Amino acid sequence: MPNSSLIDSYNRKLNYLRISITDRCNLKCMYCVPPDRIPKIPHKEILSYEEILRIVRVGVSLGVSKVRITGGEPLVRKGVYDFLEQLTQIEGLLDVSLTTNGVLLKDNIYKIKSTGIKRINISLDTLNPKKFQKIAGYDCFDQIWEGIELAQQIGFDPIKLNVVPLPGVNDDELTDFARLSFTHPFHIRFIEYMPMENLPMPTGRHLLAPEIKRRISILGELIPVEKNTTDGPAERFKFETALGEIGFIRPISRHFCNACNRLRLTASGQLRLCLLSDRQEDLKAALRKGCSDSQLAEIFIQAVRRKPSEHNLEADHPGKVLGQMCAIGG
Ligand code: SAM
């Protein structure tokens, strides 16, 4: 029976750990990577796989049952497939998933499958190859799309496509994305843009879930889908005859903080209590000073008590978060 020592001061049970395994990425998306590129974290400051696995084992002993691997781009890190295999074998860890930009998917999809990962999220902000190059800095849309189709063919389910809608950039494609859910069993997830440090908002204004919903409703009625345990904060819907689903992640227009079950481990070993707040605990320092597993567990438990009740980003008063998405992992 899993322990559940990770209950915060607001009675939220934190059983979901999102881990950024690298700050490196093979794309430079306009809303994620600052134009004056941030210095990369030196290799020795990045947690080793052994350190990550140890933290996960301790987390699982405290009640973590779900882990998502992210980045930077997780698939660019050397040795990632062996690491994923070790991760999926950790006893008590019920769900291991991966978020990727899909660039390396096509060539590595069988390797990913053999690690035991069953669920992948792919970030894709446009269905137009030319626009993809503008948003992400590289011309590799076709390669990503082939990877997505292959992933579907070999049985990954569900495949979630993460879209960050930006006015004047890709908001002319909202219905194209939504339409995909009729022909493919994909879960299209519209994620509200979150302002981060050093990165001016690409278009100066927000495009929030209610407006996205309104625009795609021309395709039909959005029927709510009952939540399941792996949903996280997504609000799920389906068009009546669609194979796939539509989801909204609304960090700005509807805080889901009161139901938050997430902790994050950054590439440099900080246990981050909220994506949008810079409060964090230095697990790497503790590990490298030689702490025992029970000391590590105690750091987890104490840190969790300091998880903020909610973040303070609002559409009209966006705060700035010091961390960078590519090091925190989104
Ligand atoms: N490289 C992987 C990928 O592209 O999916 C994983 C890392 S990426 C930081 C994780 C997710 O964060 C992506 O879906 C991306 O769209 C999202 N993201 C990055 N910056 C964001 C922002 N400012 N607001 C909302 N989502 C953001």
Side-chain angles (χ1 to χ4, degrees):
M1 199 59 188
N3 191 334
S4 58
S5 308
L6 299 180
I7 295 185
D8 74 5
S9 322
Y10 304 92
N11 219 20
R12 293 171 298 193
K13 188 173 161 190
L14 308 175
N15 59 1
Y16 180 16
L17 182 62
R18 296 170 65 99
I19 305 174
S20 170
I21 61 168
T22 177
D23 62 331
R24 270 68 167 170
C25 191
N26 45 2
L27 295 181
K28 39 181 186 202
C29 298
M30 55 159 73
Y31 60 87
C32 186
V33 178
D36 39 337
R37 268 194 107 97
I38 359 139
K40 303 242 186 322
I41 304 172
H43 187 69
K44 63 179 189 340
E45 297 304 331
I46 300 265
L47 285 181
S48 68
Y49 287 135
E50 290 69 27
E51 288 170 327
I52 299 173
L53 290 165
R54 185 169 164 211
I55 290 171
V56 174
R57 284 192 194 98
V58 169
V60 168
S61 75
L62 296 170
V64 168
S65 57
K66 188 175 160 184
V67 162
R68 173 171 296 279
I69 298 304
T70 172
E73 171 48 40
L75 299 185
V76 301
R77 182 160 172 187
K78 229 166 136 187
V80 63
Y81 303 105
D82 288 342
F83 162 71
L84 291 176
E85 194 170 342
Q86 291 183 62
L87 186 68
T88 59
Q89 283 168 9
I90 291 179
E91 209 174 314
L93 194 52
L94 306 179
D95 185 56
V96 181
S97 56
L98 176 74
T99 297
T100 171
N101 58 30
V103 174
L104 297 172
L105 209 52
K106 188 177 134 202
D107 292 338
N108 297 288
I109 194 73
Y110 291 101
K111 275 196 242 164
I112 298 173
K113 183 140 198 189
S114 70
T115 67
I117 298 257
K118 295 188 180 59
R119 299 193 305 115
I120 45 182
N121 286 18
I122 300 142
S123 307
L124 190 69
D125 297 306
T126 175
L127 298 169
N128 172 331
K130 279 211 178 88
K131 201 191 283 180
F132 183 90
Q133 186 166 9
K134 267 197 203 142
I135 295 175
Y138 295 90
D139 176 14
C140 46
F141 174 85
D142 292 339
Q143 177 181 335
I144 294 170
W145 189 254
E146 285 168 31
I148 294 172
E149 290 195 314
L150 191 56
Q152 185 201 335
Q153 280 160 27
I154 69 169
F156 281 92
D157 183 39
I159 292 178
K160 295 184 183 169
L161 300 187
N162 288 351
V163 186
V164 178
L166 297 168
V169 176
N170 58 357
D171 64 331
D172 54 336
E173 295 187 67
L174 298 177
T175 47
D176 298 338
F177 271 108
R179 212 173 272 121
L180 262 187
S181 75
F182 285 92
T183 50
H184 296 71
F186 300 154
H187 292 199
I188 312 296
R189 295 171 14 133
F190 294 109
I191 304 179
E192 290 175 345
Y193 166 82
M194 294 170 269
M196 303 295 279
E197 192 212 21
N198 294 341
L199 198 45
M201 192 163 181
T203 53
R205 66 197 162 90
H206 271 286
L207 178 53
L208 301 176
E211 172 65 9
I212 301 168
K213 245 185 224 173
R214 193 189 63 73
R215 294 205 210 167
I216 65 173
S217 291
I218 60 164
L219 299 178
E221 187 193 352
L222 279 167
I223 303 160
V225 172
E226 213 173 296
K227 275 187 166 285
N228 68 32
T229 48
T230 58
D231 282 348
E235 290 176 13
R236 296 170 59 193
F237 298 88
K238 199 173 184 329
F239 291 110
E240 194 172 359
T241 57
L243 301 175
E245 290 186 12
I246 306 290
F248 297 93
I249 307 220
R250 308 177 54 176
I252 307 293
S253 65
R254 177 171 294 161
H255 289 195
F256 38 79
C257 303
N258 60 356
C260 182
N261 63 347
R262 299 172 171 203
L263 291 169
R264 289 176 168 81
L265 181 63
T266 69
S268 61
Q270 307 298 310
L271 183 66
R272 197 171 167 102
L273 304 169
C274 167
L275 171 64
L276 297 171
S277 145
D278 291 311
R279 237 178 256 187
Q280 48 193 28
E281 207 60 47
D282 193 347
L283 293 190
K284 182 181 66 195
L287 279 179
R288 293 187 183 177
K289 276 188 204 137
C291 73
S292 65
D293 281 358
S294 57
Q295 286 167 326
L296 193 58
E298 194 51 34
I299 297 172
F300 251 102
I301 291 168
Q302 293 306 326
V304 155
R305 301 216 169 112
R306 291 191 287 276
K307 183 172 165 84
S309 62
E310 59 179 23
H311 68 73
N312 57 6
L313 288 190
E314 305 291 347
D316 41 356
H317 293 292
K320 291 278 176 170
V321 178
L322 281 169
Q324 304 285 349
M325 257 331 169
C326 49
I328 307 169

